[in-house]
Each structure stands twice: as structure tokens, then as C-alpha cells.
Amino acid sequence: MKRGSTDLEVIQADKTGVYLQEGHLTMKTYIAIGGSLRISARLIKLDSRLSELYNTDFSKELKGKDFLQFFPLKEKLFILASEYDKKNTSFIVHAAEINKNTGEIKSTWKELVSIRKKEKGDDINFRIIYNPDSTSMVVVSSLEGKSNNIFSISGFNEALRPTANTVSLSNEFDPKTYQLEDLIYTSNNRIVLVGRIYEYREGKKKKGKFLDFARYNIRIYDPKGTQLKELNTTVNGKWLNSTKIVQEKNEMLVLAGFYSKDRKDKTIDGMLLQKIDPVSCEVVSTTDKQLNLSMLDVIADEEASDNLSKEEKKELEKLEKIKNEGEALSTLMKFRKIHYDNDGGLIILAEKFYQYNYTTQTYSPGSNGMPGQWTPVTYSVYESGDLFMCRIDRAQNVNWVKIIPKFQREVFRGGSAGYSEFSSSSFFDLGKRPYYSGFNTLQSGNTITLFFNDNSRNEAILHPGQIPKKTILFNASHCYSITLDALTGTFNRSFLCSNTETPTAMPRSGTVFGKEMYLVGKDDRMLAKSKIAVGKITLSK
């Protein structure tokens, strides 16, 4: 495919084949000295053996529009695109049905929603998600003005007809200090907004100010947009620095949060679990669990310990030291996945994550008497670190805690100038970065399998206290799997594939359908098209 393909994802797998989405930039308008770009897309259909059936580029059909995504709904497949109407200062979301057999558009574009700016400087964002049972499409939009945020939620069925009246939500926060981190649409049509509130603080430089995360704001609304409840996110004086809400098998809402005693702390003191009734919106139970590395399991079998090598024994001594000192977890630990086992327990999976931008200056010497020139270059850095795993049983007890060290680092040229740090992404941030770091999971009963890229020299890195080699050159890395027993916490690590022999795997963008996961891989080549691969993983259990 063309170099620059960034939006790669298997969006559906059915009896007729597998559908791969690819997004890319294409020319929008031509002028004498250049042009402007827009987002276009390609749909590739593969058969059950992953051989190509068709490969359709929609650049022509998307003329005047920006591609958003392909959206499977029941037996149909739609293409979604946005358009900006300059005359009416409105952003419009369009949809058209695709013939799944031919890969061609079989209907005219239909307007779904239109959001008009109130002022020139307003920002508008969109995201399209499913309702809880995946029977309808939900378009979530935000209008960010100078004084407040207005969120709109609209539902559509497979005929692209509205399923209910549009819900409009607003809050009293300054848009610059409020970030929507997540939106949960419950099975009883409750809407949960998880927001992060920031405050301006004095910087190191004179008169310099920066936005600092202050607290979470979690509110629950009914289908008409009436606020029913605002959850207290400072429980017993504890400050939540990372949180995730899921619905427990279409029943209770479960809130999991890492907390510190003070927001200035750089470590996590424990984990808070709350069960919330989605009908009454009342907190049913609250469980507070302290977390530190003293809870980690070590090798208890003396015979097994005797068989360790000198290097392994040194690592075990390091681990024992960390456990005895009760070292705490970093506040950079972020929730990624929450799974349920067959006994009603929760499997919490988190990852140490840090993102920042920085700008450097490069000097180009002059020639023919001309002076040299300094040029600013900005880089975006994504660091995905240690894996955290633990089980909370039905009685809210912590059964086991595991940590697997890793250090993945991706650097991209481009981003906001200067230096800035990011601890969380917005609900509307659909960027696929980082591409090759992070991890993904596939569950079958009480077995959870994790997939991630890692330096080949880290194959024996399984315990905290061990220092992993950095994974920077992902095209020279390996893709590994970790098979985890949810009940006991025992796990083993296995080699999956080499990224030097196939296009580099992108586990974080993997798509799960039942007991199968589809992985996409990509290699960009300097003077040729990008090389793409698709792989299927099936769990035997």
C-alpha cells in the first residue's frame, strides 16, 4: 500500500471473509505551488485463508469529505465520513452502505448529524460507537466553546434511521480545564461521562502557567440528558489518578481506580473498587485495597530455587529486596483491560505509560556566502512500560499480583512545539499511536492471553527487579504471548513470531472476534510502498 498508511484494523470477520480497513492521506485540492490533503480510505476483503478477494480505494467516493471509519452493523457495512460546510460553519457526519460482496458503495450518502459552530473559534469532535448490545450506531459529538462543552449523542439503526431523540449534555467547566476521558453507554441506556478536571498552576518560569490534573469528575445521566448522579471521586481522602468503568455482564457498573494519598505523590498507594447500581445510580459497595510490591509472589519451592543459575538467583534476591521494602507502584500505571473469570472475579490489567513532546533545534550550514539556519524539530514520544496484573475475587479480596517488566519506546517526528506531558488521552482521540508498543488480550474461559512486541533479549524477563532491554527498533523485535491462568495467576511466556521476517506486528490494534484475534503488521519502506500483513490467532481452549 501507499507509504503513510496509518489506520490499519480488521473491522469484521464473518462467514464470507475478513474485512481490513486502511486509512491514508490523499490530495484534496491542487494549486500552483502545492495543495491540501484529506483523509481517504481503502477496504480489503480476504477469504478464510486470508487471500485477497478485493481491494477498493474510496478516494473518488470520498471527494470533498474526510474518511472517519467503516462501521459493521448487524449484516450491513457502512462507510462514515465528515464534511465541513464553510457557509454554515457546520460539521456534518455522512454514512453510505457498502456492498460487502463487491466492495462498492450501494447507496447515496445520507446525513446523520450536523453540528453548527456558535463562534468561529469553536472546536467540534466526533466519535462513532455501538450501543450496549451492538444493534445500533451511536454518534457522539462535542462542541467546545469558550465557556463550556456541549456533548450530543444520537443513535441510528441499520436503516440509518434515528433510534431515539438526540441527547444533549453540558457542564459548567471551562473547556480548557475539562477533558472527556471516556463515555459508557449502559444496557439500561444510562450515559456515564468520565472527565478529567485540570487546574492552572504556576510554572518554573516567571508568569508561566500550566494545566495540572486535579481530579476526576464522573456523572451519570438518563436517556433524556438529566443528570442523575455525580460520583464522589475523592473517597476517604484518597486521590484517584487513573480510573476505568465497565459494566458487569449488563448488570452492575464497576469502577476501578488507582489512588494516592496526595496528588503530589509519584507512587500509587492502592486500588479502589466500587460497584454502582445503574438504575438507582447508588454506590452498592466500596472496597479499598492497598497495593505494593510486597504482595508479589516469589518462587517458594526450594528445589526449584536450587536449580536456578547464578544470574537467576541474583534476580530473585533483587525481587526479595523489593518485596521486603514494600516498594510502591508508579502513578504512571494506567488501566488497560478488565476481564471477568468464570468464578465472578475481576482480572485487572494495567500498564505503565508515559507520553510527551519535545522540540530540538537542528543547524544547517549556509553555502555561497549565505548564513546557516536553525530549524526546530518536534518529536512525540510514547513509552509503554511494565505490565501489571491482579485478580479481585467475588468477595473483593486480592488473590494475586503479578508484574512483568518491559520498556517499549516509540518516537515520531511531528507534534506540538515545545515540551508537554500527557497522562491521558481524550475520548475523541482516535489516533492509532503508538503503533507497535502496548499490548492486547484474548480470553477463553479462565485463560487470558496477552500479546506484545519485545526485545528478543527479554525472553527471560518475567519478574520485577529484572531490568528489560529497551525495545526501540520494532522491526528487529519479536512478538510474544503470555498465557495467564486467571484463577491462580500462573503464566508462561512464549515466542509468537519474528518481526524481522514479516511486517512488524501491531498487537494494540488487534481485533477480537470470539476466540479469534486478527493482527495487522506494517513495514514502511523508504522508496517503495508500505508492506502490510494480516494474521489470525485462534485459541485452542
Side-chain angles (χ1 to χ4, degrees):
M1 296 186 185
K2 292 181 179 179
R3 179 176 171 82
S5 299
T6 57
D7 188 4
L8 293 168
E9 182 181 1
V10 173
I11 58 168
Q12 188 181 30
D14 58 22
K15 295 180 181 179
T16 67
V18 178
Y19 300 82
L20 172 66
Q21 166 182 300
E22 183 260 353
H24 58 268
L25 293 176
T26 189
M27 195 62 70
K28 184 175 183 180
T29 58
Y30 294 90
I31 56 178
I33 58 173
S36 59
L37 298 174
R38 62 183 173 89
I39 302 173
S40 187
R42 184 185 297 269
L43 178 68
I44 302 96
K45 184 175 182 179
L46 313 172
D47 63 17
S48 59
R49 295 186 177 183
L50 303 185
S51 297
E52 186 176 302
L53 296 176
Y54 61 70
N55 188 327
T56 306
D57 191 313
F58 289 90
S59 295
K60 182 179 178 181
E61 291 81 357
L62 286 164
K63 187 176 181 180
K65 300 177 178 64
D66 279 314
F67 171 73
L68 293 175
Q69 67 186 92
F70 293 107
F71 198 92
L73 186 59
K74 292 188 174 180
E75 300 301 321
K76 295 183 176 181
L77 178 61
F78 297 94
I79 182 172
L80 302 172
S82 65
E83 178 186 11
Y84 181 60
D85 184 345
K86 291 184 179 180
K87 183 177 179 181
N88 296 312
T89 63
S90 299
F91 275 94
I92 305 167
V93 175
H94 300 274
E97 186 179 352
I98 292 174
N99 186 323
K100 296 172 69 174
N101 294 322
T102 65
E104 299 175 348
I105 289 182
K106 62 183 293 186
S107 67
T108 57
W109 289 101
K110 182 175 181 179
E111 181 181 311
L112 297 183
V113 298
S114 177
I115 306 294
R116 186 173 185 177
K117 290 185 176 183
K118 294 183 178 180
E119 298 182 13
K120 186 177 180 180
D122 291 350
D123 288 327
I124 297 176
N125 288 297
F126 292 103
R127 183 172 174 182
I128 297 92
I129 60 175
Y130 287 99
N131 71 331
D133 61 5
S134 300
T135 58
S136 64
M137 175 194 310
V138 179
V139 181
V140 183
S141 64
S142 77
L143 176 64
E144 183 181 307
K146 291 183 178 180
S147 58
N148 67 343
N149 290 293
I150 299 176
F151 302 104
S152 297
I153 303 169
S154 307
F156 301 89
N157 61 19
E158 70 274 19
L160 299 182
R161 295 191 181 97
T163 57
N165 293 329
T166 297
V167 181
S168 183
L169 310 174
S170 63
N171 58 46
E172 71 279 10
F173 301 111
D174 181 342
K176 293 181 180 179
T177 62
Y178 179 89
Q179 180 190 67
L180 180 66
E181 182 175 272
D182 202 2
L183 183 147
I184 298 93
Y185 206 94
T186 71
S187 57
N188 62 332
N189 296 321
R190 295 284 195 259
I191 302 166
V192 184
L193 295 187
V194 181
R196 292 172 64 90
I197 307 299
Y198 293 81
E199 294 178 354
Y200 284 102
R201 305 206 180 278
E202 295 294 334
K204 294 181 179 180
K205 296 182 179 180
K206 188 177 181 180
K207 297 183 179 181
K209 289 187 177 183
F210 67 97
L211 284 171
D212 186 32
F213 172 62
R215 61 184 174 86
Y216 273 98
N217 177 270
I218 303 174
R219 294 178 176 180
I220 305 175
Y221 300 84
D222 69 11
K224 295 183 179 180
T226 302
Q227 182 178 317
L228 301 175
K229 183 79 172 181
E230 180 172 336
L231 300 180
N232 179 15
T233 58
T234 308
V235 182
N236 299 328
K238 298 176 176 64
W239 180 71
L240 295 184
N241 48 53
S242 177
T243 190
K244 189 173 184 64
I245 296 179
V246 296
Q247 189 166 20
E248 183 181 33
K249 299 178 182 178
N250 293 329
E251 296 176 1
M252 291 289 181
L253 291 172
V254 177
L255 181 151
F258 288 130
Y259 69 79
S260 302
K261 294 178 181 178
D262 189 276
R263 70 181 182 186
K264 294 181 181 180
D265 291 347
K266 299 298 182 183
T267 56
I268 292 171
D269 294 303
M271 182 166 58
L272 184 75
L273 290 174
Q274 288 188 328
K275 289 195 173 184
I276 304 158
D277 187 324
V279 178
S280 66
C281 301
E282 295 299 324
V283 176
V284 176
S285 65
T286 298
T287 305
D288 178 358
K289 297 295 180 183
Q290 291 187 346
L291 287 178
N292 58 58
L293 299 187
S294 67
M295 304 173 70
L296 292 169
D297 297 330
V298 295
I299 298 175
D301 190 335
E302 292 184 4
E303 183 177 348
S305 180
D306 291 338
N307 292 331
L308 295 177
S309 66
K310 291 183 179 180
E311 291 76 13
E312 288 172 324
K313 287 183 178 181
K314 286 183 179 180
E315 297 300 344
L316 186 59
E317 290 175 1
K318 291 180 183 179
L319 177 59
E320 287 286 4
K321 183 179 179 181
I322 291 174
K323 280 172 55 62
N324 294 334
E325 293 176 353
E327 186 174 318
L329 301 173
S330 167
T331 53
L332 296 177
M333 198 66 71
K334 306 299 177 186
F335 286 102
R336 294 302 190 211
K337 303 275 187 178
I338 296 180
H339 290 279
Y340 296 91
D341 60 39
N342 292 342
D343 289 356
L346 290 176
I347 310 302
I348 309 293
L349 301 175
E351 179 182 44
K352 190 175 180 180
F353 181 75
Y354 184 44
Q355 179 190 351
Y356 59 94
N357 290 346
Y358 70 93
T359 301
T360 62
Q361 299 281 338
T362 60
Y363 181 76
S364 301
S367 60
N368 299 324
M370 298 295 293
Q373 184 177 8
W374 287 94
T375 305
V377 180
T378 300
Y379 296 91
S380 295
V381 182
Y382 298 79
E383 294 183 351
S384 301
D386 298 346
L387 286 170
F388 169 91
M389 307 181 293
C390 78
R391 180 179 190 260
I392 312 295
D393 64 19
R394 187 187 291 272
Q396 306 297 297
N397 297 311
V398 178
N399 290 162
W400 51 261
V401 177
K402 307 286 183 179
I403 289 181
I404 301 175
K406 71 176 178 71
F407 189 173
Q408 303 161 312
R409 191 172 191 262
E410 285 188 61
V411 181
F412 301 91
R413 185 164 178 160
S416 302
Y419 181 85
S420 54
E421 299 180 8
F422 306 89
S423 59
S424 174
S425 61
S426 166
F427 172 77
F428 298 104
D429 181 13
L430 299 180
K432 300 297 181 180
R433 294 179 178 178
Y435 298 147
Y436 307 109
S437 55
F439 72 98
N440 211 335
T441 61
L442 180 59
Q443 181 177 9
S444 177
N446 288 329
T447 299
I448 299 173
T449 307
L450 295 80
F451 303 95
F452 61 98
N453 292 323
D454 203 358
N455 191 307
S456 60
R457 298 169 68 184
N458 291 334
E459 193 161 1
I461 301 294
L462 298 173
H463 304 291
Q466 296 178 290
I467 301 175
K469 299 292 183 182
K470 290 183 182 179
T471 307
I472 300 176
L473 299 175
F474 286 88
N475 59 359
S477 69
H478 290 168
C479 188
Y480 293 93
S481 65
I482 288 178
T483 304
L484 171 70
D485 186 310
L487 299 182
T488 65
T490 58
F491 65 89
N492 60 73
R493 175 171 174 159
S494 304
F495 170 83
L496 185 65
C497 65
S498 171
N499 289 320
T500 60
E501 299 171 358
T502 60
T504 309
M506 304 167 72
R508 183 171 166 267
S509 299
T511 309
V512 175
F513 300 102
K515 292 185 179 181
E516 295 180 336
M517 172 182 281
Y518 288 87
L519 285 182
V520 178
K522 178 173 76 80
D523 278 345
D524 283 329
R525 295 175 288 180
M526 290 297 294
L527 302 175
K529 293 183 178 181
S530 296
K531 191 175 182 180
I532 306 297
V534 178
K536 180 172 71 172
I537 301 171
T538 303
L539 292 183
S540 57
K541 294 182 180 180

